Amino acid sequence: AQKITQTQPGMFVQEKEAVTLDCTYDTSDPSYGLFWYKQPSSGEMIFLIYQGSYDQQNATEGRYSLNFQKARKSANLVISASQLGDSAMYFCAMRESNSGYALNFGKGTSLLVTP
Amino acid sequence: SAVISQKPSRDICQRGTSLTIQCQVDSQVTMMFWYRQQPGQSLTLIATANQGSEATYESGFVIDKFPISRPNLTFSTLTVSNMSPEDSSIYLCSVLQRAGGVTDTQYFGPGTRLTVL
């Protein structure tokens, strides 16, 4: 069964606007971590932000924030003030406590920022 | 975070041949991983590279096809053996590091784009 679901294959946003990329997850493990990565066309994977299952507050990292709704098992990435350089694939990933640090990735969302 | 390099950055190979991909880290790391990303797909973990012992492979990946070496805490290789066009993918290594005191996070190398003809 798919553990990470990203339902938006592609998204458009205008420069300087905010955009939300959806991620839902499935786990019975009470201790887990959620990660977001950015993959530009060059292919590298860039770590953006992390949210732990026991964290009381939503994670923030510069223009990135995570809207963590534990009861709904969602961890949406919010990018504020979009820039042209934000155009990329975005992957949500989960690590469970019994996974040996391995990450389980979603299928990704392609974001295009337009002028 | 650690600086991770991979060689080669890309290659085009003939079917039936093998390619060895190198991953070098500028600092010692406990855990290294190898992932595959097939065209238009997400990342799939191939194996965890263990220093001084055999790699731990995920379901669907076997040592004969993807032999891995980890001779020390800064270096690992992944070989893609007896290649077929289905092996055309981006291969990425990653390392586990705790940056900023938040949690152990995987940081990725730049990837190796492999095309098999």
Side-chain angles (χ1 to χ4, degrees), chain B residues 23-44:
Chain B
C23 180
Q24 179 76 53
V25 192
D26 69 345
S27 58
Q28 292 187 340
V29 292
T30 306
M31 300 191 76
M32 295 179 76
F33 306 86
W34 285 98
Y35 287 83
R36 180 177 73 181
Q37 186 178 25
Q38 294 176 301
Q41 302 297 314
S42 186
L43 278 72
T44 302

Side-chain angles (χ1 to χ4, degrees), chain A residues 69-91:
Chain A
Q69 298 187 47
K70 193 171 181 176
R72 297 180 61 184
K73 294 189 174 180
S74 74
N76 300 336
L77 176 70
V78 181
I79 305 174
S80 62
S82 296
Q83 302 172 357
L84 296 178
D86 293 333
S87 295
M89 284 291 293
Y90 289 81
F91 291 94

Side-chain angles (χ1 to χ4, degrees), chain B residues 4-105:
Chain B
I4 308 165
S5 60
Q6 284 186 234
K7 288 183 188 179
S9 58
R10 59 177 65 231
D11 209 340
I12 301 174
C13 300
Q14 297 296 320
R15 68 170 66 211
T17 63
S18 298
L19 176 72
T20 295
I21 302 168
Q22 299 179 4
C23 180
Q24 179 76 53
V25 192
D26 69 345
S27 58
Q28 292 187 340
V29 292
T30 306
M31 300 191 76
M32 295 179 76
F33 306 86
W34 285 98
Y35 287 83
R36 180 177 73 181
Q37 186 178 25
Q38 294 176 301
Q41 302 297 314
S42 186
L43 278 72
T44 302
L45 180 64
I46 298 172
T48 302
N50 301 311
Q51 194 266 328
S53 65
E54 197 170 281
T56 304
Y57 289 84
E58 297 298 304
S59 175
F61 297 96
V62 295
I63 189 171
D64 290 345
K65 176 66 176 177
F66 297 101
I68 288 170
S69 78
R70 177 99 191 266
N72 56 52
L73 293 176
T74 64
F75 186 77
S76 178
T77 67
L78 167 75
T79 298
V80 187
S81 303
N82 188 25
M83 288 184 285
S84 67
E86 292 70 37
D87 293 319
S88 297
S89 298
I90 300 175
Y91 292 87
L92 298 110
C93 71
S94 70
V95 304
L96 196 68
Q97 275 204 317
R98 178 161 296 201
V102 176
T103 190
D104 293 315
T105 300

Side-chain angles (χ1 to χ4, degrees), chain A residues 35 37 39 41-45 47 50 91 95 100-103 105-107, chain B residues 31 33 35 37 41-43 45 92 96 102-108 110 113:
Chain A
F35 301 79
Y37 288 85
Q39 187 178 42
S41 56
S42 57
E44 62 187 310
M45 291 287 286
F47 167 67
Y50 164 80
F91 291 94
R95 182 180 72 211
Y101 294 103
L103 291 174
F105 283 85
K107 293 185 182 296
Chain B
M31 300 191 76
F33 306 86
Y35 287 83
Q37 186 178 25
Q41 302 297 314
S42 186
L43 278 72
L45 180 64
L92 298 110
L96 196 68
V102 176
T103 190
D104 293 315
T105 300
Q106 286 192 35
Y107 293 90
F108 286 81
R113 289 181 184 267

Side-chain angles (χ1 to χ4, degrees), chain A residues 14-34:
Chain A
Q14 204 157 15
E15 206 176 0
K16 301 178 186 175
E17 298 292 311
V19 63
T20 297
L21 307 183
D22 294 343
C23 173
T24 57
Y25 58 92
D26 182 24
T27 182
S28 57
D29 190 341
S31 177
Y32 54 89
L34 297 156

